Amino acid sequence: MAADSWDYEPDDSRTELSAAALKRAFLDNLFFLRAKFPEVATLNDNYLALAYTVRDRILHRWVTTARSYLEEERRSVIYLSAEYLLGPHLGNNLVELGIMDEARQAMGELGHDLDELLAQEEEPGLGNGGLGRLAACYMESMASEAIPAIGYGIRYEYGIFDQEIEDGWQVEVADQWLGNGNPWEIANPEIKHPVKLGGRTETWTDSQGRYRVRWVAERELVGRAFDTPILGYGVDNANLLRLWKAEATESFDFAAFNVGDYYGAVDSKIVSENLTKVLYPNDQPRVGKELRLAQQYFFVSCSLQDMLRIYGMRRGDMGGLPEKFVVQLNDTHPAIGVVEMLRILVDELEEDWDESWELVKRLFAYTNHTLLPEALETWPLPLFGRVLPRHLELIFELNRRFLDEVRGRFPGDEELVQRVSLIDERGQRAIRMANLACLGSHRINGVAELHSKLVTETVLADFYRLWPEKFTNVTNGVTPRRWVALANPRLSGLIGQAIGDEWVRDLSQLKQLEPHAEDSAFQAAWRAAKLANKRELAALIEARTGVTVDPGSLFDVLVKRIHEYKRQHLLALYILA
């Protein structure tokens, strides 16, 4: 069948949302995907069967969405983030599809407790906190608003650690979130991209007399794609989260095995796969720093190569790239993408430097997350040069041209030149990634109105002086789908009874609650919902710790790792004091 005549529609049994259809699909998936019948199925089998049931309904929307984006050639967001704190998928996807009640009915009729199945899911710990949660919220919101987007990141085998408290101390245990299988991802082994690391560069003059540079890498690995559909709320729309896993170019050295070097035969595989083994390896030792830089470059390089692969499906002229994509840097972790894009254009596609740099600036945008100068990411020059020798050369050349421009605009102001330089010359020389992100982006935003204002007055004040037109604000949002509708069904139900369900898409609708503020019946129902939630929390605290607490207490709940400078730790110290 010709590609342009594709008119396949899946069978209704795989897309219907009724309780009866969910029941039938659940039993089919238990039988055909788990090879189990109800009497021997484990809790995890039943969770997976339900997850696959829901996934089928998402995939229908995902494939249809991808096809419409391709046909319409709409501009897409390429969202680069080292973290995605997605939260459990099953409950969220039931809310997005609007079938929580149908799923509860279907499972109840089969003798299963939906809450028990929801609790079985291992949360993908692909993030640390606010940065990763912001990325997850943006992906969900863009899907809900039908904004074409691909989120790119790393498929960490071990995510943010599991926290246990022993003798009052935080003990960090490996987070094996993939241990029981991940039904939400689609392995895409045909989508893979090579990534170079280390080595040296060589120069030559080509047949047209042009100065050229090639990167001769010390080692090369491959990034393979794992895709997760991100569903929008109440719409037939789903976007794509594509995470990269590092693999060796050759997983098994047959020659080494044949001469008895059994460990050497798989050494390349082990070294390569270590790259995506764990979220944020300890970067105090030198080897940890190198691994973290290599992680960042790996996922950015794979992602930009993938963007160009998609772009090449429809056209070839690089000049149209910014009309097809915008690349959003979620903090400085993916900022190396600015130089990687320049390298691809200049070294591999043989494009003109000036035209390439203008294209890069039109393509990238940068979200700043911190006002602390010491928290802005830097990389020591020797380390950076070892991992990315060609990128260091490009940064030197970018910096030379940039500082010449600054001196031309502000003659004699060498202190300004030193502050905006891509290289910090104080003490051990280091690459300033925030400066690179500012230089290579056409838009720079903070994550709250006050934050965005302070960014222009403090850490990025010099760049605001250079390019005030680049700066804007995009206020952090949290999706009410997960953080109210899913997290607090009692409160959500009460609000829905009072004002309808449109607030789940538009939080400004909550203003309609104001007339109910003096309604004694509504107040009583509100207090009852809150008290029921507190009783559940008190029961959980007693089950976990043996401590009995009064449900009538005022609770202040903090969910976070214990960290030296985080507010959770500071509040704990305040309570003790």
Side-chain angles (χ1 to χ4, degrees), residues 22-199:
L22 295 176
K23 253 173 77 175
R24 185 170 59 250
F26 171 87
L27 293 171
D28 279 350
N29 287 328
L30 189 63
F31 188 89
F32 289 109
L33 294 180
R34 299 303 301 158
K36 296 287 180 70
F37 51 92
E39 289 79 5
V40 299
T42 65
L43 177 62
N44 196 58
D45 288 325
N46 290 324
Y47 156 71
L48 290 171
L50 179 57
Y52 287 125
T53 297
V54 175
R55 193 186 77 172
D56 281 346
R57 284 138 183 86
I58 298 171
L59 291 181
H60 179 220
R61 289 157 174 77
W62 181 24
V63 172
T64 304
T65 300
R67 183 170 177 79
S68 70
Y69 288 167
L70 190 66
E71 289 172 346
E72 296 168 17
E73 294 198 23
R74 296 169 61 189
R75 193 181 193 209
S76 298
V77 176
I78 300 295
Y79 198 81
L80 299 184
S81 180
E83 299 184 28
Y84 287 94
L85 204 54
L86 299 162
H89 289 276
L90 178 56
N92 193 65
N93 285 329
L94 290 172
V95 169
E96 303 286 354
L97 289 168
I99 57 170
M100 183 68 79
D101 292 340
E102 288 81 357
R104 191 173 298 281
Q105 178 188 335
M107 293 302 98
E109 290 175 4
L110 291 169
H112 302 303
D113 180 348
L114 178 62
D115 292 326
E116 202 174 48
L117 297 176
L118 291 170
Q120 173 64 18
E121 181 172 355
E122 283 285 345
E123 179 171 352
L126 303 175
N128 221 331
L131 186 88
R133 189 58 225 155
L134 173 72
C137 284
Y138 271 143
M139 289 301 298
E140 193 271 353
S141 294
M142 286 189 285
S144 296
E145 296 298 320
I147 297 170
I150 304 175
Y152 284 109
I154 300 174
R155 185 181 179 270
Y156 302 103
E157 186 175 337
Y158 298 98
I160 182 72
F161 57 81
D162 282 338
Q163 181 193 64
E164 295 181 2
I165 305 296
E166 293 183 7
D167 299 326
W169 293 91
Q170 173 176 275
V171 178
E172 300 165 11
V173 181
D175 167 38
Q176 302 184 52
W177 71 282
L178 290 168
N180 289 327
N182 178 14
W184 305 102
E185 69 181 7
I186 310 291
N188 228 324
E190 292 182 9
I191 297 179
K192 56 185 179 181
H193 299 292
V195 178
K196 296 178 178 181
L197 291 170

Side-chain angles (χ1 to χ4, degrees), residues 237-530:
N237 199 73
N239 281 336
L240 169 64
L241 176 65
R242 177 162 286 166
L243 303 178
W244 302 104
K245 178 187 177 185
E247 295 182 357
T249 50
E250 292 290 338
S251 294
F252 187 80
D253 186 337
F254 199 73
F257 185 84
N258 272 347
V259 297
D261 184 6
Y262 305 129
Y263 291 108
V266 294
D267 181 64
S268 177
K269 174 181 172 65
I270 293 168
V271 170
S272 296
E273 291 186 359
N274 277 343
L275 199 66
T276 52
K277 188 69 74 175
V278 65
L279 169 73
Y280 289 170
N282 181 1
D283 63 0
Q284 294 305 310
R286 180 184 66 82
V287 67
K289 276 189 169 64
E290 285 195 19
L291 178 56
R292 192 158 170 179
L293 176 59
Q295 268 188 349
Q296 293 180 7
Y297 174 67
F298 163 77
F299 100 83
V300 166
S301 179
C302 287
S303 305
L304 294 179
Q305 289 182 68
D306 202 52
M307 176 186 73
L308 292 173
R309 178 190 64 84
I310 295 168
Y311 183 71
M313 288 179 177
R314 287 286 178 172
R315 61 185 92 189
D317 174 30
M318 286 296 115
L321 196 60
E323 276 68 57
K324 179 60 180 170
F325 297 105
V326 61
V327 181
Q328 188 70 40
L329 305 173
N330 191 27
D331 212 5
T332 55
H333 308 121
I336 189 61
V338 168
V339 188
E340 172 67 355
M341 192 69 226
L342 182 64
R343 184 194 69 81
I344 291 171
L345 291 168
V346 172
D347 288 359
E348 297 186 10
L349 301 179
E350 302 180 24
E351 300 281 344
D352 172 77
W353 175 289
D354 291 330
E355 292 177 3
S356 296
W357 181 238
E358 288 305 312
L359 188 150
V360 168
K361 288 190 291 185
R362 289 169 55 211
L363 195 59
F364 283 85
Y366 162 49
T367 298
N368 170 278
H369 280 266
T370 185
L371 295 169
L372 299 172
E374 63 272 19
L376 294 176
E377 194 174 37
T378 62
W379 295 105
L381 248 63
L383 181 150
F384 193 94
R386 268 197 313 275
V387 178
L388 301 170
R390 177 54 178 151
H391 297 74
L392 183 59
E393 293 175 352
L394 290 168
I395 286 173
F396 280 142
E397 179 59 18
L398 269 177
N399 201 42
R400 183 189 68 78
R401 295 178 183 225
F402 169 47
L403 296 185
D404 284 348
E405 178 189 333
V406 174
R407 289 188 175 102
R409 288 182 58 186
F410 302 94
D413 194 345
E414 282 302 307
E415 289 188 1
L416 172 65
V417 169
Q418 290 175 16
R419 290 196 303 269
V420 299
S421 173
L422 303 183
I423 315 293
D424 186 351
E425 304 285 355
R426 300 166 301 175
Q428 183 185 29
R429 300 171 77 205
I431 310 287
R432 294 162 160 162
M433 300 308 283
N435 291 24
L436 177 62
C438 289
L439 177 63
S441 297
H442 67 277
R443 283 288 179 274
I444 301 164
N445 70 277
V447 292
E449 190 171 356
L450 179 60
H451 176 223
S452 295
K453 179 175 182 290
L454 291 173
V455 160
T456 67
E457 297 172 354
T458 56
V459 289
L460 302 182
D462 292 316
F463 291 95
Y464 182 69
R465 183 181 172 194
L466 290 172
W467 308 298
E469 71 282 356
K470 283 190 179 186
F471 287 79
T472 187
N473 173 60
V474 182
T475 297
N476 250 5
V478 296
T479 166
R481 272 74 74 180
R482 179 179 290 278
W483 294 112
V484 187
L486 177 61
N488 200 335
R490 291 188 182 91
L491 182 63
S492 302
L494 179 60
I495 295 171
Q497 290 168 21
I499 65 170
D501 293 328
E502 187 56 30
W503 65 271
V504 183
R505 283 190 61 84
D506 177 9
L507 271 182
S508 68
Q509 299 291 322
L510 290 179
K511 195 170 179 64
Q512 295 179 38
L513 284 175
E514 288 180 357
H516 298 271
E518 305 304 323
D519 181 339
S520 58
F522 186 80
Q523 290 174 348
W526 187 280
R527 282 195 294 270
K530 290 178 72 69

